[in-house]
Amino acid sequence: MTTLADGVRPELGRNLTYGLLDNLGRAIVTGRFERESFPTEAELAKQHGVSRSVTREAVKMLTAKGLLSARPRQGTVVQPTTSWNLFDTDVLRWLLERQFSVELLKQFNQLRVAIEPEAAALAAQFAGEDDLQRIDQGLGRMEAADRGLDDTLESDIAFHVAILRASRNPFYAQFRDVVGTALRTSIRFTNRIKGRTASVADHAAVRDAIMARDPDGARNAMRSLIGDVLDLIEEKGDTAV
């Protein structure tokens, strides 16, 4: 096992537990253990040159994410995809990093269209001044990105996350990390198909309805925005990979 001078394993990074977690999580999600059994903690420790306590903690974290389970007389086994916690941002990131799936992208946006229009309607009713300011700033960043003065991806994410937070509903707000993680793939994909960044005008319509305290208008504007993304995936997805 090759190590750096300070004892850091280059393939795991400085935090060995999280490095091993990321390494094993990605291997599970990409199907490495579909045809072979998952190693024991002792085998993992030897393979990666880390302590048993590091492997034990990484396995415990993967179990909490639904990727592994410990069964009597069977040891640690990989769980079926239906058991994985898809709202865990690590799991979602590993899924999006594996071989690209238009179907997964479509399913994610189907989730968005069920959540974000209602979050926008709630924001129109309950957002505080700070919330409205963050939404406006997100749109301002998108306008700046159109002029090459900000990052198109990060500004788009900031806008959508600001609306989730502005809903003042903790359940919707909890989706901010999931939305932020998955949008990084979704936005890149749809922008590549369209050959341009997201429509600032469409996002401004959502902002304006929220500012006007118009729940129905905010809901419809957000539904239209995400609906356009779904239509684009349906029409061009098969030829865009």
Side-chain angles (χ1 to χ4, degrees):
M1 172 64 64
T2 302
T3 60
L4 301 181
D6 60 359
V8 176
R9 288 136 185 91
E11 75 280 8
L12 296 183
R14 291 184 176 274
N15 188 315
L16 295 180
T17 300
Y18 283 94
L20 184 59
L21 169 77
D22 190 64
N23 187 299
L24 293 175
R26 186 176 288 106
I28 291 169
V29 170
T30 55
R32 174 179 165 186
F33 299 107
E34 288 179 354
R35 296 179 181 83
E36 60 182 270
S37 59
F38 191 80
T40 65
E41 289 182 5
E43 291 169 337
L44 288 172
K46 183 177 181 180
Q47 289 170 7
H48 296 275
V50 296
S51 68
R52 290 286 292 274
S53 63
V54 167
T55 61
R56 189 174 301 114
E57 186 62 25
V59 168
K60 185 185 301 182
M61 294 166 74
L62 288 167
T63 300
K65 295 175 186 295
L67 272 66
L68 297 175
S69 69
R71 300 176 181 176
R73 296 185 297 276
Q74 292 185 25
T76 302
V77 297
V78 175
Q79 290 284 78
T81 307
T82 52
S83 296
W84 298 354
N85 180 5
L86 301 181
F87 294 109
D88 183 287
T89 53
D90 286 330
V91 176
L92 184 58
R93 175 170 54 83
W94 295 326
L95 280 167
L96 292 170
E97 286 178 0
R98 73 182 184 181
Q99 183 175 2
F100 185 80
S101 168
V102 173
E103 184 64 21
L104 178 63
L105 189 62
K106 181 172 70 175
Q107 290 167 348
F108 163 65
N109 280 286
Q110 288 168 342
L111 176 67
R112 286 184 64 202
V113 83
I115 292 171
E116 291 192 66
E118 293 307 314
L122 289 172
Q125 297 174 76
F126 303 116
E129 289 303 317
D130 288 347
D131 297 316
L132 297 177
Q133 185 176 11
R134 277 190 289 268
I135 294 170
D136 198 46
Q137 287 172 345
L139 185 67
R141 288 187 60 185
M142 292 186 69
E143 292 170 341
D146 258 7
R147 302 191 301 271
L149 302 176
D150 205 328
D151 184 271
T152 56
L153 181 61
E154 295 301 329
S155 60
D156 202 339
I157 290 172
F159 178 82
H160 287 276
V161 169
I163 291 174
L164 289 170
R165 293 178 61 184
S167 72
R168 294 290 175 144
N169 182 310
F171 294 99
Y172 283 127
Q174 285 284 323
F175 279 99
R176 63 186 182 274
D177 291 337
V178 172
V179 168
T181 300
L183 271 176
R184 295 179 194 283
T185 297
S186 180
I187 292 171
R188 287 192 191 101
F189 178 77
T190 53
N191 286 354
R192 187 170 72 244
I193 295 174
K194 292 183 294 187
R196 59 174 175 79
T197 57
S199 167
V200 173
D202 290 346
H203 286 71
V206 179
R207 188 276 312 269
D208 292 346
I210 292 173
M211 294 289 186
R213 301 295 186 180
D214 177 4
D216 288 337
R219 181 186 294 111
N220 291 334
M222 182 65 85
R223 184 177 291 126
S224 175
L225 193 158
I226 302 173
D228 287 345
V229 174
L230 274 168
D231 289 343
L232 192 64
I233 293 170
E234 290 281 1
E235 292 171 9
K236 302 290 183 64
D238 292 340
T239 60
V241 180

